[in-house]
Amino acid sequence: MSRQPEVLWAQRSDKVYLTISLPDAKDVSAKSEPEGFFSFSAIGAQGESFSFNLGLYEPIIPEKGKVHIGLRNIICSIHKEKKGWWKRLLKSEEKAAPYIKVDWNKWCDEDEESEQSDWPASDDDDGDEGDESDDEDGLLYLPDLEKARGK
């Protein structure tokens, strides 16, 4: 019997990202079909079998999908057939399985997408953007308390 690894998901208007937490995975297989069916299987570090099948919210383009196998996880990039934002990951309106969670580190809202570069972030991003904000951004301004104390 196989187990399900933790799956984190995030989206852009044209893609869905699945990050599968499975360190030192072997025999990784990720397949997708145009109707929005995605299947995954792999062997874990201790030889245990992991697999899951997802019925995605809308159709996809399997040929454009990419799989990157890292030391700690597998990242799957799935291209949407139609550009737009999905209400949820799965076609089924039932609550998603407990091993599927939102990847808040990669998540991007519709109104933020044009401001952000495509994931993953480039190495030349120095992270200085956004140090100063105004009320129009909807962000809370927090002053530098060390500077305020004169240090």
Side-chain angles (χ1 to χ4, degrees), residues 20-24 70-74:
I20 303 158
S21 301
L22 195 56
D24 302 321
L71 294 175
R72 300 206 173 271
N73 52 38
I74 296 109

Side-chain angles (χ1 to χ4, degrees), residues 23-95:
D24 302 321
K26 300 178 199 92
D27 300 330
V28 174
S29 172
K31 296 178 184 163
S32 54
E33 296 175 15
E35 307 82 49
F37 186 75
F38 180 85
S39 64
F40 173 86
S41 65
I43 304 297
Q46 268 70 50
E48 65 272 68
S49 176
F50 288 88
S51 68
F52 64 87
N53 297 309
L54 303 175
L56 300 174
Y57 187 69
E58 287 188 5
I60 58 173
I61 305 171
E63 312 77 68
K64 288 189 172 184
K66 294 181 183 174
V67 176
H68 173 74
I69 303 169
L71 294 175
R72 300 206 173 271
N73 52 38
I74 296 109
I75 300 173
C76 301
S77 170
I78 301 168
H79 279 259
K80 298 175 180 177
E81 186 177 273
K82 290 183 276 180
K83 233 180 168 184
W85 293 85
W86 293 358
K87 293 190 288 187
R88 58 186 175 270
L89 175 64
L90 305 177
K91 184 173 287 216
S92 169
E93 291 189 29
E94 296 174 16
K95 186 176 178 185

Side-chain angles (χ1 to χ4, degrees), residues 9-18 56 58-66 76-86 89 106-110 112-114 116-120:
W9 80 283
Q11 71 173 319
R12 300 290 184 271
S13 63
D14 61 339
K15 297 177 190 170
V16 170
Y17 297 106
L18 298 179
L56 300 174
E58 287 188 5
I60 58 173
I61 305 171
E63 312 77 68
K64 288 189 172 184
K66 294 181 183 174
C76 301
S77 170
I78 301 168
H79 279 259
K80 298 175 180 177
E81 186 177 273
K82 290 183 276 180
K83 233 180 168 184
W85 293 85
W86 293 358
L89 175 64
K106 293 183 184 85
W107 192 265
C108 179
D109 289 328
E110 284 180 73
E112 296 173 342
E113 184 176 36
S114 60
Q116 303 219 351
S117 62
D118 197 13
W119 176 87

